[in-house]
Amino acid sequence: MTDRIQLNKKDRLAVAWRSTFLQGSWNYERMQNGGWVYSMIPAIKKLYSTKEDRSAALKRHLEFFNTHPYLASPVLGVTLALEEERANGAAVDDVAIQGVKVGMMGPLAGVGDPVFWFTVRPMLGALGASLALSGNIIGPILFFLLWNIIRWGFMWYTQEFGYRTGSKITDNLSGGLLQKITKGASILGMFVLAALVQRWVSIKFQPVVSTVKLDKGAFIDWNSLPAGAEGIQQALIQVQSGLALTQEKVTTLQNNLDQLIPGLVPLLLTFLCMWLLRKKVSPILIILGLFIVGIVGHVIGLL
C-alpha cells in the first residue's frame, strides 16, 4: 500500500501566492484560465509524479474560469482538496472538478465587487487620501499596507476554508455527496450566469416603426418655460408627470420588442453563441463575428 499524498502548508502557500497573479494572462477566450493553471502548478507537481498525469491535470484546468480575483481563493481551496483525493485514487473525475469550479465562480463573482471594489478599497483610499492631503506621507503607505494585508489575509483564509471544506466533501464519495454538490453547484452557476444575460448583453434595433405627433399638453412646451435653473426644475417635474420631451413620439423596432418580451433578443443571441460553442466553433471567431455584425448593422442603420 502506497503512502497517501497530501498537500502541506508550504504547498498551499505556494498556490495562494501564485493566485495573486490570477489575471496576469487574462484572455477573451477562457479569461482567467491561464492564471488559474499557474496557481495550481505547485500542487499538480506535488500530487502527480508522471508527465502524463501532470499534463492531464494542466489540460483540465485550462477550461474556462472567471470570477472576482480574490474570491477565486475558496474555489482554489476546494479544487486542491478534490485534486488531492483524485491523486490518492478517489473517484473524482474531470466533470466533477469542473462542475464545482463553474458552480462556485458564478455566485462568488457577484460578491467580490461590492465588498472589495465598492466598500473596502474606497474606505481605505479615503483614509489614505485624508492623510496625504494634510501632507503626511503615511497616507499612501498606510493605504498600500492595509489593502494588501486585508487582501492577502482574506485570500489565504478562504483558500484554507475551501480546502478543509473540500476534504469533508470527498470523505463521503461513496454516499454520492460530491455528485449532489456538483449538480447543485452547476445549476446555481448556470442560474446566476443566465440572470446576468440581461445585464451584460445589449442589442438595440434602430429602425423607426412609427412617428406620431402628440397633442398639445402631452409634451413639454419649452418656449413657455422660464429661463435658468427654474426652467430646468419645471422641465424635470413635467417629465416625472409623464410629459414627453418632444412633440413627436418615435417608436422603434426595439420599443416593440421590449413591449413583447423584454430581453428576448439578447437571450436568443446568448443561445446562438452557446450552440456555436457546442459545435466546437472557436470563441475568438464568435467574438470577431459579433464585432463584424455590430459594425455592419450600425453602418446600415439596423443596430
Side-chain angles (χ1 to χ4, degrees), residues 65-111:
F65 184 82
N66 189 52
T67 190
H68 190 280
Y70 303 160
L71 271 297
S73 296
V75 190
L76 270 172
V78 173
T79 305
L80 289 175
L82 295 177
E83 285 287 357
E84 183 177 283
E85 294 300 323
R86 175 172 178 148
N88 285 287
V92 180
D93 57 12
D94 294 359
V95 175
I97 294 174
Q98 187 64 15
V100 171
K101 286 168 57 180
V102 171
M104 293 181 68
M105 73 182 185
L108 291 177
V111 175

Side-chain angles (χ1 to χ4, degrees), residues 200-211:
W200 287 351
V201 183
S202 177
I203 303 176
K204 291 185 178 180
F205 291 101
Q206 300 299 331
V208 176
V209 176
S210 65
T211 302

Side-chain angles (χ1 to χ4, degrees), residues 185-254:
S186 299
I187 293 173
L188 179 60
M190 292 301 102
F191 177 81
V192 173
L193 292 176
L196 294 175
V197 169
Q198 177 67 15
R199 177 182 175 184
W200 287 351
V201 183
S202 177
I203 303 176
K204 291 185 178 180
F205 291 101
Q206 300 299 331
V208 176
V209 176
S210 65
T211 302
V212 179
K213 286 190 175 182
L214 301 175
D215 295 331
K216 189 174 182 180
F219 60 92
I220 299 175
D221 185 2
W222 295 98
N223 294 325
S224 64
L225 293 178
E230 185 181 353
I232 297 174
Q233 182 182 17
Q234 289 189 19
L236 293 174
I237 293 174
Q238 292 181 28
V239 168
Q240 290 180 349
S241 66
L243 297 186
L245 294 173
T246 62
Q247 186 177 359
E248 293 184 341
K249 180 182 179 182
V250 179
T251 302
T252 64
L253 176 59
Q254 187 63 49

Side-chain angles (χ1 to χ4, degrees), residues 11-26 32 34-42 65 67-74 76 117 144 147-159:
D11 301 322
R12 302 195 301 274
L13 272 172
V15 172
W17 168 248
R18 284 176 172 242
S19 69
T20 303
F21 310 101
L22 183 68
Q23 303 202 106
S25 62
W26 195 94
Q32 295 171 338
W36 176 276
V37 170
Y38 176 74
S39 303
M40 290 291 298
I41 285 176
F65 184 82
T67 190
H68 190 280
Y70 303 160
L71 271 297
S73 296
L76 270 172
W117 300 154
F144 178 81
W147 172 253
N148 282 285
I149 290 172
I150 293 173
R151 175 187 65 85
W152 175 251
F154 176 85
M155 293 173 65
W156 170 245
Y157 175 80
T158 54
Q159 180 181 298

